[in-house]
Structures are given as C-alpha cells and as structure tokens.
Amino acid sequence: MSDKVTHVGDADFDAAVLQSGEPVLVDFWAEWCGPCKMISPVLDELAETYGGKLKVAKGNVDENRATAIKYHVRATPLLLLCKDGQIQATQTGAVGKGKLRQTLDQA
C-alpha cells in the first residue's frame, strides 16, 4: 500500500474525511473482498498522481461497522468522493483507473 493512502475508522472518519481541506476518495473495503484487492493498486497509483489535490483513504467495513452502516455500505468495494463534507460521487464495485480518473476529474 502507498504511504499516501491513509486508513480511517469510526473514531476519526469525520475529522479525516468530512472536515478535510481537500477532497477525499474513501474506499470502503474488506479483507475477504477479491474486487477490493484488485483495485487497491489503482488507488495507490491515484494517491500518488493526485497527491496534494486529493487524499485517498481506506475504511475496513468489518472493523468499522458504524461508519459502514452510516454510509449504507451494502457491497464492497464502495468508493465515495467527499468534498467540503459532502458526497460528490459514489462508485460500487471494481472499476478501472480510467473510469476513476474521469470521476475524479469531473468532481
């Protein structure tokens, strides 16, 4: 995992994501999730590419159930793009780097 990707949990989600001064792409994932493992290198690369303009954060749904419930995570991976405390875009399932870049650039 890239050192530019941070882990967030129930205790620090609001401070790390909703109160962030820059947009945050949150990956709700699980250890047992194959598609989550597939997109992890893509998220690492995006964290490097968009460094300084975007934070990438990961939240394990099994370890942080309150946050997963609050954001209605029903399938993993679930990606949320948050800006100024608001959800700007969502993406469920593993998608390619091109699709994620397009979503990020539009937001």
Side-chain angles (χ1 to χ4, degrees), residues 1 7 14 21 32 35 38 46-47 59-60 62 65 67 78 82-83 86-87 92 97-98 104:
M1 182 180 77
H7 285 271
D14 287 356
W32 46 263
M38 288 173 41
L46 290 174
N60 185 313
D62 292 328
R65 292 196 179 273
T67 303
L78 172 67
C82 299
K83 182 178 177 184
Q86 301 294 317
I87 297 172
T92 303
K97 180 171 55 173
L104 294 173

Side-chain angles (χ1 to χ4, degrees), residues 25-67:
L25 179 64
V26 182
D27 172 26
F28 286 103
W29 69 285
E31 189 67 42
W32 46 263
C33 170
C36 297
K37 292 176 184 178
M38 288 173 41
I39 68 163
S40 187
V42 172
L43 296 174
D44 290 346
E45 188 176 324
L46 290 174
E48 295 287 335
T49 302
Y50 287 89
K53 297 182 225 169
L54 171 80
K55 288 189 339 189
V56 176
K58 295 176 76 80
N60 185 313
V61 296
D62 292 328
E63 297 172 0
N64 301 286
R65 292 196 179 273
T67 303

Side-chain angles (χ1 to χ4, degrees), residues 9-32:
D10 291 340
D12 63 348
F13 186 88
D14 287 356
V17 176
L18 301 179
Q19 297 168 9
S20 175
E22 58 190 346
V24 182
L25 179 64
V26 182
D27 172 26
F28 286 103
W29 69 285
E31 189 67 42
W32 46 263

Side-chain angles (χ1 to χ4, degrees), residues 50 81 83 88-89 99-107:
Y50 287 89
L81 179 61
K83 182 178 177 184
Q88 302 293 314
K99 170 74 172 149
L100 283 175
R101 288 184 74 127
Q102 181 182 14
T103 299
L104 294 173
D105 291 341
Q106 286 176 349

